[in-house]
Amino acid sequence: GPLQWTGGGGRVRDDLVVGSQLPAGTVEGTSPRSWLELTFRDGTTFSVAGQSRLVFSEAERKKLRLHSGRLYADVRPQPKGHSLLVRTPTATLDVVGTQFDVEANTYATAMTVSEGRVRVTRLIDDSAVDVEAGHRVVAAADRDLHARRVPVIENAWKSEIDRGPDHTLGRWRTASGDAPAHLASVPYMTEMGFV
């Protein structure tokens, strides 16, 4: 999808192709179809998807500012004392080396850690929490800043149908027409909302 890079001196490029080398600047995804992967010299990668706006630089340490959108990061171990910083409108993420994804807007930042650990500091009150692998946190003014375990997504289940419809999960369907009696599955949604 369409992307635009803006760099120093107001230079603008919208002709980005695979392998384009970009100095520090701002990358904007201008469509829900937009997607970009940035790879730094040390192998650290960031993927930005959809309508998003990301400012990046790499001087003595990598710094990113995710104004809005979704970012997936695979961060290689960073030099001691030079952790990678990601800033959003509501939080700062201090990253040494890990895998995580973060979604940000004006009101909240939601982050899930896949590997390693990330320190999240909420900007409104400077409260902080360390988020470990398999956990998620939402940094917003109207929520407690607590890391919560990400529920395991089940993709298979087994029922004890012989115990009858009062002891099963799902929806019991009685026989009708050519269809025999059966147990239909019912979607189960966990509380994973963004805000």
Side-chain angles (χ1 to χ4, degrees):
L3 296 163
Q4 185 175 69
W5 171 81
T6 305
R11 291 184 314 164
V12 177
R13 285 184 60 187
D14 57 9
D15 61 345
L16 302 179
V17 295
V18 174
S20 294
Q21 291 191 14
L22 300 173
T26 302
V27 176
E28 292 184 76
T30 57
S31 158
R33 299 180 339 221
S34 298
W35 183 82
L36 172 77
E37 182 176 280
L38 293 171
T39 302
F40 284 82
R41 289 181 203 95
D42 69 353
T44 293
T45 60
F46 297 96
S47 299
V48 182
Q51 293 175 304
S52 55
R53 185 168 177 227
L54 176 70
V55 178
F56 64 95
S57 67
E58 182 180 23
E60 68 277 355
R61 66 167 33 165
K62 294 175 192 66
K63 293 182 182 179
L64 293 92
R65 177 152 178 103
L66 181 63
H67 289 274
S68 62
R70 184 173 199 113
L71 170 78
Y72 174 78
D74 185 358
V75 180
R76 298 292 179 246
Q78 299 299 293
K80 188 175 177 108
H82 295 283
S83 59
L84 178 141
L85 295 176
V86 178
R87 187 165 179 138
T88 72
T90 62
T92 299
L93 287 59
D94 192 355
V95 183
V96 176
T98 188
Q99 289 181 353
F100 65 93
D101 69 82
V102 61
E103 187 171 356
N105 64 32
T106 305
Y107 310 104
T109 299
M111 189 211 47
T112 304
V113 178
S114 303
E115 289 182 15
R117 181 184 317 175
V118 176
R119 174 164 273 264
V120 177
T121 304
R122 185 169 52 191
L123 297 178
I124 195 168
D125 61 2
D126 286 331
S127 60
V129 64
D130 288 332
V131 184
E132 297 187 7
H135 289 75
R136 175 182 171 90
V137 70
V138 176
D142 62 345
R143 295 181 83 152
D144 291 333
L145 189 67
H146 293 293
R148 292 177 172 81
R149 179 165 285 290
V150 175
V152 175
I153 297 173
E154 298 292 339
N155 58 13
W157 59 276
K158 185 169 80 172
S159 181
E160 296 176 351
I161 204 163
D162 58 329
R163 294 183 68 194
D166 294 334
H167 298 282
T168 58
L169 295 175
R171 184 166 292 139
W172 183 257
R173 303 284 187 198
T174 57
S176 74
D178 293 339
H182 64 279
L183 184 65
S185 63
V186 175
Y188 177 73
M189 302 299 288
T190 60
E191 187 179 324
M192 288 289 294
F194 181 28
V195 288

